[in-house]
Amino acid sequence: MVCPAAPRLLLATTLLLGSAVTPTSQPVSMTVVQGQAGERPGQQLDHKSGAGDSVLVSVYVQLEFSDKTWPLTHYRALTLPPASDASSPGNLTGLSITTAPSLPPYQTGPSLPVHTLVSKEQAVWALPFPPHPDAHHSLCSEPSCRGSADSPVFCPTVPGNLTLNSQLQMPGDQLNLTLFTTHDATNLKWFLRRRENDKRISLRSGTQVSLSSSQGQASLSITRMSYHWAGEYLIYFEAKGFIWKLQQVVKVPLQKAEVAQFPEQLSISCTASPGFQLSCCFPSTNLVYTAAWSPSEGSQVSSLNKTGSQCLLLDVQHCPEANSTYTCVLESQGLAPLRRSVAITIIRDGDIVCPDDFSAAAWNVTKAGHVAQVPCPMNKTGRVERLCGRDGVWGPIQNDCTDMGILALYEEARLLQAGQGKPDKRAPQILESLQERVKVASSPSDLLKLLSTVELLAEVVAEVRTALKPSALKDLLTITDKVLDVNTSSLWTLAQAQEPLIGSHFLLAVETLVCSLSPKDLPFSFNSSNVLLQSQFLEPTFADDYQISFSTQPPLRVWIPRYSLTPLVHNGTSVSVTSLVLQKLDHLLPSKYGQGLEDLPYVTPGLVLVISIMAGGKAFTQAEVIMDFGHTDGTLHCVFWDHNLFKGAGGWSDKGCQAQAANDSLATQCVCQHLTAFSILMSRHTVPGNPVLEFLSQVGLGASILALLVCLGIYRLVWRAVVRNKVAFFRHAALFNMAICLLAADIWFLVSSVFLPGTHDLLCLATAFLCHFFYLAAFFWMLAQALLLAHQLLFVFHQLSKPLVLSLMVILGYLCPLGFAGVTLGLYLPRGQYLREGKCWLDGKGGALYTFVGPVLAIVGMNGLVLTMTVLKLLRPSLSEGPPVEKRQALMGVLKALLILTPIFGITWGLGLVTLIEEASIIPHYIFSILNTSQGVFILLFGCLTDKKVQEALRKHFCHTRPPNSAISLATNETYISEQSKGRSKNAR
């Protein structure tokens, strides 16, 4: 008979040899055995007379397989006559054996060589050891060799024994498998087959697997056992001329956390939803589990089998009358049952609830204080949760859904790191599959698992020193390019909130994998929107510096002097240099700075340069590299990303790097004495290290604040004297509120610059919001004053209602800027684009700054139109509008204040926009500081002290004199209208 588990046929036969052997058509009987010959006697072979004596020979023949199966009648045990020492040698003239044994899963090719093992009693023919470790053509397995009384099968003694500490391994335990051999064993290989008919998984040393061998034994240890390590363990080894296979089955129970129920809790309104569905899912293992829901009376129970898992569904038809608990129970023979419970809360009349919300998902009525859950979309696993607040208001949506394809690749990479599988084969396959899944990443969990998969592969490749092929490296760079294109404000910001160091870890993984390209595949290049790579060989006889340029923004040039590369060349060793540019990645790294860089606000240019040098198969980290990042203004720091800073969290450091002036341009170059991920730090918001500018800013703000306080004090003294008519009241009310808003804004801005430099705490956030609001309010009150002037010009005889105008001014001056500031905060703060880096002010990159600049420019433009209209009106007066001289005098007061204040505000904030957004030089910073800090002084001089009514009131208050009757104010049209009436009366007389 054929041993069903033995892929190698062992044929024992007797050959009739002599000086001349005549071919015969008689069939040759044979026996199929496993092991060595001569251990048990067989049956006597009946050979024809005259055929010669029976002797044993050693030959090399070709065993050919056909598609025809041997009949069972050909399987007979044979006994050979004892060989005679006096037998004369003979020659084998021919032998042909045709058969087609079924030998899965080790199917051999159509033609295999055979060698013969010779003993005194019989010859045992066997296939040789396979030349490739994956081709198991010869196998001995004692448990599979069985025979019967009619057809005995001869099996040799197994030269070893496989033991394990326990067949049932509890989760978290350590598995110990030990092979004890009685003969020398070689070519030991361990495998795991998780389930029947699954492919074998090669086992190697990893984070969980440990392999060891010594004389007479070999051991396999696996720590932190889980159901991923349950299955049949096999060991193959060579001994006594055969390949032997021994196996042990290991079972691992499931843990409670590996049983997923949905939902975890449920609050339900019986009037709105009379029924509901519960599910209980668990992975498939080699242990048989039976699942049941309790209670299940009056409900429908169904099962759903998925790939690698099983689910038990419970459809509850009727809503329970009281709060209930439903329990999913998993039982397996000899194990304690696993229980997962779902608490059902019934919503009563009068309970505070969150109403139905079907805007983004089907959020049913939920009791206050409870968490509502909805399943993930198709092909995703996890859940989407939303808290119903104590006040019955829905909270934010928490999406924990992960794409099943990305999760499967992550688990495979994790097990590969642990010791399952061959990295040289599986790592490229995982990268190929992963780059196809990047486009489906739509949640922070997707992005985290995807990046974690790349990190795991990098650790595996570095540990086993696997050389990647160009196709695998291209897949990696494609993944990197797509990841850097992911919406920063949504996925990256939310992912970094969960894993702040994910950007640093991803950079390290890409650095590691890029250095793993096989030298024989150089040169290699890759170009995409976010990833640029050039890898090339430098011949031992190279005479020039290594130079390369990248068309990035800013443009980047890199060169390594020849004298820095020469020491790496020994005995003709070739040197390979790889240059990698990653755009946008620097913005995804934490804002952490090493010693000497802590107190300065910086930004990076939008790219990171990674350089690696390989010589003789070894990586070198010490070499001089010169980098030119183009023309940059302000202070520049040459830095690199040090993964060892802050206890492994990583940060920017300038050790070993310095800036120097370029010889052929105005650009500043960076020179570093080591290789890693480089970039530069620049100040886009202020000019660091300029004490004169900082002093001017602080002194100017102080002067502006003092001037505004004086202005408000004057208004406190003369208010009743200057607001005796409605036009004067409206004008001075606008100036008074403008002074209050600008005073508050200057105070908060001074606080942020002196006491809160570089912080992003809650106080800094409040300061930015208040500065935004009060500066906008100052401009809106200026707009109110301009609109009042326009009304006086267009509607001369129209009388304004004081309560109505005052209400409109308050709405325009306070509610409008409050709306802009509030919407900006709510829109940009969740995206992480509200605060500028290192400043308590609005961010200019994400758009928050334009919610301030836009209204300011619109108001300045409106004021300009009013000024133009006023000038044209004065130049072309109508006869019906009164005497031209009086009219001109009546408008001069308001025109003075508006004509002076509007250009000052416009020019100041125009320069402020330049310094905040562009890489401005030092001159705009000085002009901006001087004009900006003079705003309070201008309001005091031109809006308050130049007003003749204010002057008269102050003179009266301090000198106790009455002003002359003919004195008039140039600030109010209403006064001039009164004087105009007096003139008309005189003319009538």
Side-chain angles (χ1 to χ4, degrees):
M1 65 175 293
V2 176
C3 297
R8 174 188 286 181
L9 287 178
L10 307 179
L11 307 178
T13 184
T14 301
L15 303 180
L16 304 179
L17 302 177
S19 57
V21 181
T22 302
T24 177
S25 60
Q26 297 296 327
V28 179
S29 300
M30 63 203 74
T31 302
V32 180
V33 301
Q34 286 184 299
Q36 292 183 347
E39 297 187 3
R40 296 175 59 182
Q43 297 179 3
Q44 179 68 36
L45 174 67
D46 182 20
H47 39 115
K48 305 296 180 180
S49 62
D53 296 332
S54 174
V55 296
L56 300 177
V57 297
S58 177
V59 297
Y60 186 89
V61 300
Q62 189 79 9
L63 177 62
E64 296 185 1
F65 295 94
S66 69
D67 58 355
K68 189 174 181 180
T69 305
W70 283 356
L72 290 178
T73 55
H74 286 188
Y75 291 88
R76 302 197 307 271
L78 306 176
T79 300
L80 302 178
S84 173
D85 294 336
S87 300
S88 61
N91 297 320
L92 176 64
T93 58
L95 173 66
S96 178
I97 303 175
T98 302
T99 180
S102 179
L103 303 173
Y106 312 103
Q107 188 65 46
T108 60
S111 180
L112 296 171
V114 178
H115 73 267
T116 305
L117 303 179
V118 182
S119 69
K120 290 184 178 181
E121 297 184 1
Q122 61 180 189
V124 179
W125 291 14
L127 297 178
F129 297 127
H132 192 277
D134 292 334
H136 297 281
H137 302 151
S138 173
L139 186 65
C140 290
S141 179
E142 185 183 30
S144 62
C145 288
R146 296 180 178 87
S148 62
D150 297 331
S151 301
V153 176
F154 302 103
C155 294
T157 302
V158 179
N161 182 34
L162 182 63
T163 65
L164 77 165
N165 52 344
S166 175
Q167 187 179 28
L168 182 64
Q169 296 286 321
M170 302 307 295
D173 287 354
Q174 176 172 314
L175 171 68
N176 294 316
L177 277 164
T178 305
L179 170 69
F180 296 97
T181 58
T182 57
H183 293 72
D184 291 337
T186 58
N187 295 334
L188 287 83
K189 296 179 178 61
W190 295 89
F191 296 90
L192 168 63
R193 183 183 288 115
R194 292 181 184 171
R195 288 179 292 272
E196 189 176 357
N197 299 326
D198 279 3
K199 292 183 178 180
R200 297 173 306 161
I201 302 173
S202 176
L203 297 179
R204 57 171 184 81
S205 294
T207 56
Q208 290 182 244
V209 177
S210 298
L211 299 177
S212 63
S213 61
S214 58
Q215 185 66 31
Q217 72 177 47
S219 299
L220 166 71
S221 298
I222 301 176
T223 59
R224 305 188 305 276
M225 289 291 289
S226 66
Y227 76 92
H228 296 287
W229 298 92
E232 182 183 33
Y233 285 83
L234 307 97
I235 182 170
Y236 293 82
F237 62 96
E238 296 179 12
K240 299 171 63 176
F242 294 96
I243 296 179
W244 300 84
K245 179 192 76 173
L246 299 176
Q247 63 272 337
Q248 288 280 7
V249 176
V250 175
K251 299 180 179 180
V252 183
L254 295 175
Q255 302 181 72
K256 186 177 180 179
E258 295 165 345
V259 181
Q261 83 275 20
F262 183 85
E264 292 186 342
Q265 58 173 298
L266 178 64
S267 63
I268 186 172
S269 173
C270 294
T271 57
S273 303
F276 52 88
Q277 186 184 74
L278 307 177
S279 66
C280 175
C281 298
F282 54 95
S284 301
T285 68
N286 59 353
L287 280 173
V288 178
Y289 279 93
T290 58
W293 279 101
S294 176
S296 60
E297 295 79 7
S299 303
Q300 293 183 356
V301 181
S302 59
S303 60
L304 177 64
N305 293 330
K306 302 179 181 179
T307 303
S309 66
Q310 307 173 53
C311 294
L312 186 68
L313 308 180
L314 178 68
D315 288 299
V316 180
Q317 305 294 328
H318 303 287
C319 185
E321 298 180 357
N323 296 343
S324 306
T325 299
Y326 289 81
T327 304
C328 176
V329 183
L330 268 66
E331 294 183 317
S332 183
Q333 185 177 2
L335 298 175
L338 292 176
R339 292 182 171 86
R340 295 299 303 267
S341 299
V342 180
I344 308 298
T345 302
I346 305 301
I347 299 176
R348 308 293 182 183
D349 293 339
D351 288 345
I352 301 176
V353 298
C354 292
D356 289 329
D357 183 5
F358 300 101
S359 57
W363 301 105
N364 295 320
V365 177
T366 301
K367 189 173 181 179
H370 287 249
V371 177
Q373 298 176 344
V374 296
C376 292
M378 186 70 68
N379 298 326
K380 287 182 174 287
T381 182
R383 56 175 55 88
V384 184
E385 298 181 342
R386 195 176 187 185
L387 174 65
C388 176
R390 297 291 182 182
D391 53 356
V393 177
W394 284 111
I397 297 175
Q398 303 293 332
N399 189 337
D400 190 33
C401 296
T402 307
D403 178 74
M404 297 179 68
I406 295 178
L407 186 61
L409 294 173
Y410 168 79
E411 289 295 336
E412 187 169 356
R414 187 181 64 82
L415 292 175
L416 185 66
Q417 183 191 40
Q420 289 190 22
K422 298 179 178 180
D424 57 336
K425 291 184 177 181
R426 292 304 303 144
Q429 294 172 356
I430 295 175
L431 285 173
E432 181 181 6
S433 301
L434 195 63
Q435 69 97 1
E436 298 174 355
R437 306 301 303 177
V438 180
K439 59 184 178 182
V440 303
S442 58
S443 68
S445 181
D446 286 341
L447 183 60
L448 288 174
K449 290 299 182 185
L450 190 148
L451 298 182
S452 298
T453 303
V454 177
E455 294 168 22
L456 290 173
L457 292 179
E459 294 175 5
V460 172
V461 168
E463 179 68 24
V464 300
R465 298 183 179 180
T466 298
L468 294 180
K469 295 182 178 179
S471 59
L473 184 57
K474 183 178 179 181
D475 290 333
L476 166 70
L477 299 176
T478 302
I479 293 170
T480 305
D481 179 61
K482 293 179 180 179
V483 164
L484 294 177
D485 258 343
V486 170
N487 192 327
T488 304
S489 61
S490 58
L491 294 189
W492 268 103
T493 301
L494 297 175
Q496 287 176 313
Q498 302 179 33
E499 296 288 343
L501 306 181
I502 190 66
S504 177
H505 294 165
F506 181 63
L507 172 60
L508 179 60
V510 173
E511 289 182 57
T512 303
L513 291 173
V514 164
C515 297
S516 302
L517 184 65
S518 176
K520 65 180 181 180
D521 296 316
L522 297 178
F524 177 84
S525 63
F526 181 89
N527 294 303
S528 66
S529 59
N530 299 310
V531 180
L532 304 172
L533 182 139
Q534 294 288 337
S535 186
Q536 64 187 68
F537 256 135
L538 301 181
E539 297 297 334
T541 58
F542 68 92
D544 299 327
D545 298 341
Y546 168 82
Q547 297 187 36
I548 192 169
S549 299
F550 294 98
S551 300
T552 57
Q553 188 60 36
L556 175 63
R557 292 189 303 160
V558 181
W559 60 92
I560 302 175
R562 184 180 183 278
Y563 60 79
S564 185
L565 296 172
T566 301
L568 303 180
V569 182
H570 300 286
N571 299 326
T573 303
S574 297
V575 177
S576 64
V577 182
T578 300
S579 300
L580 171 68
V581 175
L582 301 172
Q583 302 196 85
K584 302 180 183 179
L585 181 60
D586 55 331
H587 300 320
L588 306 176
L589 297 172
S591 298
K592 294 179 176 293
Y593 307 102
Q595 187 176 3
L597 301 172
E598 304 93 338
D599 300 328
L600 298 177
Y602 293 116
V603 294
T604 47
L607 57 86
V608 172
L609 169 67
V610 179
I611 298 180
S612 63
I613 297 179
M614 301 289 292
K618 297 181 180 180
F620 289 86
T621 59
Q622 299 298 321
E624 180 178 301
V625 56
I626 304 173
M627 297 156 284
D628 188 337
F629 288 87
H631 179 67
T632 55
D633 291 327
T635 303
L636 180 145
H637 291 268
C638 302
V639 295
F640 69 98
W641 187 259
D642 189 347
H643 294 280
N644 298 320
L645 282 181
F646 303 107
K647 299 181 179 180
W652 294 110
S653 173
D654 60 355
K655 292 183 178 180
C657 295
Q658 62 180 0
Q660 68 178 22
N663 296 328
D664 55 349
S665 67
L666 298 177
T668 302
Q669 297 176 345
C670 291
V671 181
C672 295
Q673 303 301 325
H674 51 76
L675 303 177
T676 181
F678 300 103
S679 190
I680 56 175
L681 298 180
M682 303 175 298
S683 174
R684 186 171 296 179
H685 318 121
T686 61
V687 179
N690 195 325
V692 177
L693 185 63
E694 295 176 0
F695 177 76
L696 284 177
S697 299
Q698 296 175 6
V699 171
L701 283 174
S704 181
I705 293 172
L706 182 60
L708 291 171
L709 289 174
V710 172
C711 182
L712 295 177
I714 291 174
Y715 271 126
R716 174 69 178 83
L717 296 175
V718 302
W719 182 258
R720 291 186 179 181
V722 298
V723 294
R724 293 180 178 179
N725 54 70
K726 286 189 288 186
V727 174
F729 175 81
F730 294 148
R731 173 184 175 271
H732 287 289
L735 281 173
F736 180 79
N737 284 277
M738 186 194 306
I740 290 179
C741 294
L742 191 57
L743 174 64
D746 285 345
I747 291 175
W748 282 110
F749 198 87
L750 183 63
V751 168
S752 67
S753 61
V754 175
F755 300 103
L756 303 174
T759 64
H760 273 186
D761 54 12
L762 186 60
L763 183 58
C764 181
L765 177 65
T767 300
F769 175 80
L770 292 174
C771 287
H772 186 197
F773 167 68
F774 282 118
Y775 276 127
L776 274 183
F779 277 96
F780 273 97
W781 278 107
M782 187 178 181
L783 176 63
Q785 186 179 11
L787 294 177
L788 282 173
L789 177 59
H791 181 272
Q792 291 299 309
L793 291 173
L794 298 176
F795 308 100
V796 179
F797 300 104
H798 184 269
Q799 297 295 320
L800 297 174
S801 171
K802 187 175 181 179
L804 176 61
V805 174
L806 188 60
S807 300
L808 293 176
M809 290 173 65
V810 171
I811 293 175
L812 182 64
Y814 287 113
L815 294 186
C816 287
L818 183 62
F820 275 102
V823 170
T824 303
L825 181 68
L827 185 63
Y828 291 100
L829 183 61
R831 302 180 183 179
Q833 298 176 341
Y834 186 74
L835 293 176
R836 283 186 81 90
E837 188 174 351
K839 292 280 289 185
C840 298
W841 183 234
L842 303 178
D843 187 9
K845 294 181 292 184
L849 181 63
Y850 299 106
T851 63
F852 172 75
V853 174
V856 167
L857 294 180
I859 292 172
V860 171
M862 179 66 71
N863 290 351
L865 292 176
V866 174
L867 285 174
T868 303
M869 183 176 61
T870 303
V871 172
L872 293 177
K873 200 74 171 179
L874 290 174
L875 292 176
R876 298 178 183 178
S878 174
L879 294 176
S880 61
E881 293 177 348
V885 175
E886 294 181 4
K887 193 66 179 181
R888 191 173 294 111
Q889 290 176 343
L891 296 175
M892 282 302 297
V894 176
L895 182 60
K896 279 185 179 181
L898 193 59
L899 189 61
I900 294 174
L901 289 177
T902 298
I904 293 299
F905 272 57
I907 294 174
T908 300
W909 289 100
L911 289 173
L913 181 62
V914 173
T915 59
L916 289 172
I917 297 179
E918 302 295 335
E919 295 295 337
S921 65
I922 189 66
I923 296 177
H925 284 272
Y926 279 110
I927 299 175
F928 173 74
S929 298
I930 294 173
L931 293 180
N932 182 41
T933 54
S934 302
Q935 293 171 359
V937 177
F938 286 130
I939 290 178
L940 174 63
L941 293 177
F942 301 107
C944 183
L945 295 181
T946 58
D947 190 309
K948 290 195 174 183
K949 274 198 171 184
V950 174
Q951 294 175 1
E952 293 169 1
L954 289 176
R955 189 182 301 112
K956 178 181 177 181
H957 179 78
F958 290 105
C959 299
H960 303 285
T961 61
R962 293 180 58 85
N965 293 332
S966 61
I968 60 174
S969 173
L970 299 178
T972 64
N973 291 342
E974 193 163 313
T975 302
Y976 294 104
I977 293 174
S978 176
E979 294 293 331
Q980 182 181 357
S981 300
K982 292 180 182 179
R984 288 177 181 175
S985 299
K986 292 180 182 179
N987 294 334
R989 292 175 186 171

